[in-house]
Every structure is written in structure tokens, then in C-alpha cells.
Amino acid sequence: MNRRTGFGRLLLACAIVVTAVTASVAVGAGRAEAHALLTSSTPSDGSTLKQSPTEIIATFTERPDPNLSSIKVLDTAGQTRAGGKPKAVAFPPNSLRISVGPLPNGSYTVTWRTVSKIDGHVAAGAFSFGVGVAPARAAGGSGTVGTSRTPRPSGLALAARWLFFAGVLGLVGMAFVELVLLPHLRPPPGGVALWLALWIVTALGVLGVTEAQRRAADVPLGDVLSSSLGHSLIERGVPTLFAGAAVGAVAVLHGRGRRIALAALLAGVGLVMLADVATGHAAATAGWEWFRIATQWVHFAAAALWIGGLGALLVALRRLDPELRHRAVHRFSTAAGIALMAVATTGVLRAYDEVGSWHGLFRTGFGQTVIVKVGLLAVLAGLGAVNRYRSLPAAARTTSWLRRVGRAELGVAAAVLIAAALLQNLAPARSAAAASGPALPVLKPLVLDGHDFGTTTKVRLTITPGTAGPNQFSLAVTDYDTGKPVTADAITLRFALPARPDVGESTLAFNRAADGSYQNRGGNLSIVGTWTLTVIVQRGIDSVEIPLQVTTALPPQRVDVLHSRGLPDIFTVHLQQGRTVQIYLDP
């Protein structure tokens, strides 16, 4: 085995390993975060109502299909108290509602299941509320918007996406090479069987994507066309059939007619890509949809030109004379460089839009898959650089290096398509973050230090959480000079609110704990404001009073922000006892 052959086999082996590892990551990935995720509800999760609600309203990150979605209200015995097919709500957007009859006092769980009207993915979850009593949390609930889950991406969903991407990339690459790189090559690169095979792969991908969504949503086969899944199938299927007709024309026409058919094929495949983008993540967010869709389409098209063009060029290389081969390879290298820059630029824009934070990048399945994809694209770029600076200068003499490195590139590209297929079945990290609700600030305990006027005794008072209402008080009493713990006969804490003379003083007696501190719990800090506290340490003639001052903190409130195109932002503030208030600014 000579050195070049060994290097080529090493590259191919590395590409196979990368593809296999990426495939195993995709197959072994945890369940995908849902797409139409719950962002808020009325009543809110964990709320306690004084009387039964008359309706349940649930708002999601994407527009759900009411015909394929359901909401049910279950009591503690698991009996359905209300539910069925929900109705769409015009405001707030992306909301569903069901009517609820009078419910007796008790704890209730609301289970929901949605199918996104945008991308056809299934989501399910639950939240709870109580009537007259505090509710039991939905299993695994976080206390924000209940739980959300969706099935693991199926093998059919990943395989269909991969076939769709591979077919589209192949068709674009073959048409680009014949139209632009080798317009006068006779016979043209790629026989009729290859063109037909690529179109069949594309069509199978389109059908497979819809079938995977149908199975996940449990929609009867006869009802597909009348549902949002059928509408997406038609949007992808019509341009796919047009591209198929163009493939047939390419197979039978010659000369100018064939070039027109190739141009029509590129237009048809471009529309297929646009339809796919318009039924994916880019179209699921409100505001600047056209920019997001255009960015994703350019990303898709540039990748097709780069990777598909490389595959088509490798098919044609064996039939090229040295001069034509040298010219074609240099032209493709320039086009591939431009496409690479377009892929990188649009990829960064889309990643920022869909990930949104470092946490979303490193701590979510979507973000980690983006990292894998970026790493694979970096490997592809490195192999492309090897071709440009090592293979191109020798292209007129031999294509061995170009073919070896090119095959390795196609192997890594296969892994890139696996990562891309997985991303299509995961919710963007930004959507998952919106569904989990904004993080509430974590209040730190209030810690107060003080001493008496005669500097004989020091105290440290810890108040947890330090908000108006019930608090845990912990007091450490030490000698001012030595720092040793002081044993007192009794310790009392007196509370006064100078700003409210109508609020009388109160006291709280402390009990000695095993660790030597003095502790108790009480609701003496009952009002938001600045309180004067007096620690009374009783120990005979050495009794002292130590003044302290504390300002109670406001308890954190969850505020949901709903952004809708053409409408003011709606701010929903969640109050106590399940109450909410909605605020918006009228321009």
C-alpha cells in the first residue's frame, strides 16, 4: 500500500467514524423538547382559586392546531371533569381554551396535548390548580408552567429528514455543475438513473417527514390532507412534483431545452427548500419571519451548492480532460468558498436566534447538537482547505488527492445531515427557555449584625427569606470581646414599623437550638417597609437591648411577556392566590 492510498483510506475511515458517532448521538439523544410548549395558563400552575373557573386557557410558544390538540381537566381520582377538542383563542395569540363547568373544592390537574400548526411536532404536558385548597403539583412540575414532554425523535423522522436533505443537495449539486461548471461537457455528468434516484430520494423524504408527524400525532391516514399536516405536505409536495417534471425534461431534452429544464429544476428545488423552511423553526417565531425564513433558505441553498456540488463534481471528474478538469475544479473551489462563507454567516445568525444564550448552547439538547454541527462543519472546512491548497495545484496532472479528500468530505457531510435532521426534531433552546418561564430571582437571607451601646454583647440575626410575611429567624449571641457564645435566660425580638403608627408593636420569643443559636418562626414582618427591631437579651443584671433595622424585600413575581406581530407586548404579572394582571402599553 503506497503512502497516498494509505492517506486516502485513513481519511475515509475517519469520515465513517465521524458519521457513525454522530448517528449514535442522534439515536441515543434524550427526548426532544416539545415545540408548541406551554408558556402560561389561566388559571396558572400551582394557583389556589376561591371558586371554580369557567374556562381553561393555555398559551403556547407556537400556534397549535386545535383540531389535533386536546385539553382535559382531571380530579384526584383521575376522572375527566372537563375537556375535549379545544377552541382557538384570537387573543392572546397561540392560545387554546375549553369551557369548564362548576368544580367542587379540590385539587385538579390539567393535561394538554398539542400538534404545532407550524412544524407538525407533538407536545404534551400538565399543570395543576386548586379550588378552595392548595393543589398537588403535576408530576415533575417545576412550579412555573407545569411539565412538558414529547416523544424521542423516531428513527423514521430522522431517516426521512436525512433522505430529504440528501436528495435536495444532490439535485442542486448536479444541476449547478452541469449549468455552471461544465456547460459544454458531452455527455453531461450524471445519467438518467442518477437524476431519477435523487428525485425519488427527495420525494421519499417529503412523504417520510409527513408520515413520521402523522404517527406521532396519531392522526388517521384518511384525515391527513384535511389537517395542518396535510397542508404542509401539499406545500412541500407541489414543488417536489414540479421538480420531478423538470427531472423528466432533463432526461429527454438536449441543448438549449436541457439547460432550460435544468434552470426549471433549480427553481423547483429552491421552492421545495423554501416550503420546508416555511414549515420549520424559522417560521415559528413572531416578528421578522421573512428575514428568518430568508436566512434559513440561504443557509440551506448554500450548503446544497457546496456539498451537493462537490458530490456532482466527483462523479464527473473521471470523464474530464486535464484542461477542463483544472478549470472546473478551480471554478468549484471559488463557488465553494463563497458558499462556505454564506453557510457560516447564516448559521451564526440562525444559531443566535434559536439558541439565544450560553446556557441554551451548552445545557440543552438543541444547543449541544448545534455545537456538534458546527464542529463537523469546521472539519469540512478544513478538508476543503486541504483540497484547495494541496489538490487543486495538482488537478491538471492527477485527481487522486481531490477524490480521496472529496470522499472524506462527503462522509463528514453525511454526519452533518444527521445533526441537521436531529435539529429539525428538537425545539430551539430559546423556545424551551420561553416555555419554562423567566427565572425568578433567588432571594438571599437578610443578615443583620449589631451590638449594645455598652459594647458587651454582639448579635447576628438571619431572616429567611426576608420578605413580608412568614420568616425564619435565627439569632447568634456572642460576647463582644471574646466572641464566645452567650447563654441567655430568655431572648425576645420586638418589631415596630415607624412609618405606620397605626400598626402596633409585636414580639417574638426565641428558643435555644442544639447548635447554641436562638430560633423561631413568625409572621411579624407582615408589611413591606423599613422595620425597627430590638433584640432583648435577658440574663439578670447583664441584660441588654440591641437595636437593628431591616427593610423587607419584595417577594419575586413571575412576569410573562407575550410578543405578537402588529400588537402591543402583553405583560402578565402572576399575583398570589392564582390571580394575574395583564398590562400593555397602547401606542
Side-chain angles (χ1 to χ4, degrees):
M1 182 177 68
N2 61 45
R3 183 179 176 184
R4 290 186 177 181
T5 303
F7 180 75
R9 291 181 178 177
L10 177 62
L11 284 178
L12 183 59
C14 291
I16 294 173
V17 169
V18 168
T19 305
V21 170
T22 308
S24 65
V25 169
V27 172
R31 64 172 181 82
E33 297 93 342
H35 286 236
L37 294 163
L38 183 70
T39 59
S40 63
S41 63
T42 304
S44 59
D45 180 39
S47 61
T48 302
L49 310 180
K50 293 182 178 180
Q51 58 186 14
S52 171
T54 59
E55 63 181 6
I56 303 292
I57 298 179
T59 303
F60 302 91
T61 55
E62 294 181 12
R63 188 166 69 252
D65 186 341
N67 295 321
L68 303 179
S69 304
S70 65
I71 298 177
K72 296 180 180 179
V73 180
L74 308 178
D75 60 20
T76 53
Q79 299 296 318
T80 301
R81 291 303 189 108
K85 184 178 294 186
K87 296 181 179 179
V89 177
F91 188 84
N94 303 341
S95 297
L96 300 176
R97 67 172 292 274
I98 60 169
S99 298
V100 177
L103 297 174
N105 287 355
S107 181
Y108 297 92
T109 299
V110 179
T111 64
W112 55 268
R113 183 177 184 273
T114 60
V115 176
S116 171
K117 206 168 186 177
I118 302 297
D119 54 28
H121 289 100
V122 177
F127 61 92
S128 59
F129 67 92
V131 178
V133 298
R137 289 286 186 189
S142 62
T144 359
V145 285
T147 59
S148 298
R149 58 175 58 89
T150 192
R152 180 194 302 269
S154 66
L156 175 60
L158 293 177
R161 274 285 167 190
W162 193 93
L163 289 175
F164 174 74
F165 289 150
V168 167
L169 267 60
L171 289 174
V172 170
M174 294 288 291
F176 170 73
V177 167
E178 182 171 345
L179 268 179
V180 179
L181 299 187
L182 303 169
H184 304 298
L185 181 64
R186 293 294 176 268
V192 174
L194 181 57
W195 283 101
L196 184 60
L198 289 172
W199 180 81
I200 290 175
V201 167
T202 304
L204 288 176
V206 170
L207 294 174
V209 167
T210 302
E211 175 61 14
Q213 294 174 349
R214 184 196 71 81
R215 292 184 183 182
D218 197 24
V219 178
L221 192 60
D223 296 339
V224 170
L225 291 180
S226 61
S227 68
S228 57
L229 302 183
H231 300 160
S232 297
L233 173 62
I234 292 172
E235 290 180 24
R236 292 189 185 97
V238 170
T240 301
L241 292 175
F242 177 80
V247 166
V250 169
V252 299
L253 296 178
H254 303 280
R256 180 179 176 84
R258 182 181 175 93
R259 289 193 294 274
I260 293 175
L262 286 170
L265 173 61
L266 280 177
V269 177
L271 290 175
V272 173
M273 291 189 289
L274 181 61
D276 185 68
V277 171
T279 54
H281 295 154
T285 51
W288 289 74
E289 293 98 330
W290 64 269
F291 179 77
R292 291 182 171 90
I293 291 174
T295 303
Q296 185 68 33
W297 184 88
V298 171
H299 185 77
F300 198 171
L305 184 69
W306 174 21
I307 299 173
L310 174 62
L313 183 63
L314 293 178
V315 170
L317 277 180
R318 293 184 179 275
R319 296 190 293 105
L320 302 181
D321 60 67
E323 181 180 353
L324 184 57
R325 183 170 62 215
H326 182 77
R327 186 164 62 248
V329 169
H330 276 268
R331 284 180 178 177
F332 175 76
S333 179
T334 301
I338 296 173
L340 173 60
M341 289 188 290
V343 168
T345 302
T346 55
V348 169
L349 290 175
R350 293 299 299 134
Y352 175 79
D353 186 50
E354 294 183 340
V355 176
S357 66
W358 291 112
H359 179 275
L361 183 64
F362 292 104
R363 301 296 295 275
T364 66
F366 186 92
Q368 292 164 0
T369 307
V370 168
I371 293 175
V372 171
K373 184 182 175 184
V374 170
L376 292 172
L377 287 174
V379 173
L380 269 180
L383 292 173
V386 172
N387 258 339
R388 182 174 182 85
Y389 296 107
R390 177 65 186 268
S391 306
L392 261 64
R397 294 181 287 103
T398 177
T399 60
S400 59
W401 266 87
L402 182 62
R403 284 186 281 107
R404 293 189 184 104
V405 179
R407 286 196 293 267
E409 284 188 79
L410 292 180
V412 177
V416 172
L417 296 188
I418 295 175
L422 184 58
L423 285 174
Q424 290 297 316
N425 289 278
L426 294 173
R430 190 186 291 271
S431 297
S436 64
L440 296 178
V442 178
L443 294 179
K444 297 181 179 180
L446 298 178
V447 180
L448 310 175
D449 292 304
H451 58 82
D452 65 311
F453 181 75
T455 64
T456 62
T457 306
K458 289 196 301 184
V459 297
R460 167 164 287 190
L461 177 64
T462 303
I463 308 173
T464 307
T467 60
N471 284 276
Q472 178 69 36
F473 298 89
S474 179
L475 185 68
V477 184
T478 58
D479 182 83
Y480 187 90
D481 295 319
T482 65
K484 294 182 178 180
V486 169
T487 301
D489 299 329
I491 290 183
T492 305
L493 188 59
R494 187 168 62 235
F495 300 81
L497 187 60
R500 293 287 301 273
D502 56 317
V503 177
E505 292 185 356
S506 65
T507 59
L508 182 67
F510 281 70
N511 301 313
R512 186 176 175 85
D515 61 358
S517 65
Y518 296 85
Q519 298 184 2
N520 205 345
R521 181 175 180 82
N524 304 69
L525 296 176
S526 56
I527 299 175
V528 175
T530 300
W531 291 77
T532 297
L533 309 184
T534 304
V535 180
I536 305 172
V537 181
Q538 299 179 17
R539 48 176 186 158
I541 60 174
D542 295 324
S543 298
V544 295
E545 292 188 0
I546 302 171
L548 300 172
Q549 191 175 71
V550 61
T551 300
T552 52
L554 289 173
Q557 291 177 316
R558 182 163 63 90
V559 181
D560 298 329
V561 184
L562 181 63
H563 304 282
S564 304
R565 184 177 60 178
L567 296 173
D569 289 345
I570 304 297
F571 299 86
T572 302
V573 183
H574 295 262
L575 306 176
Q576 295 179 350
Q577 298 181 345
R579 295 173 298 171
T580 61
V581 58
Q582 287 190 333
I583 306 168
Y584 68 92
L585 300 179
D586 189 344

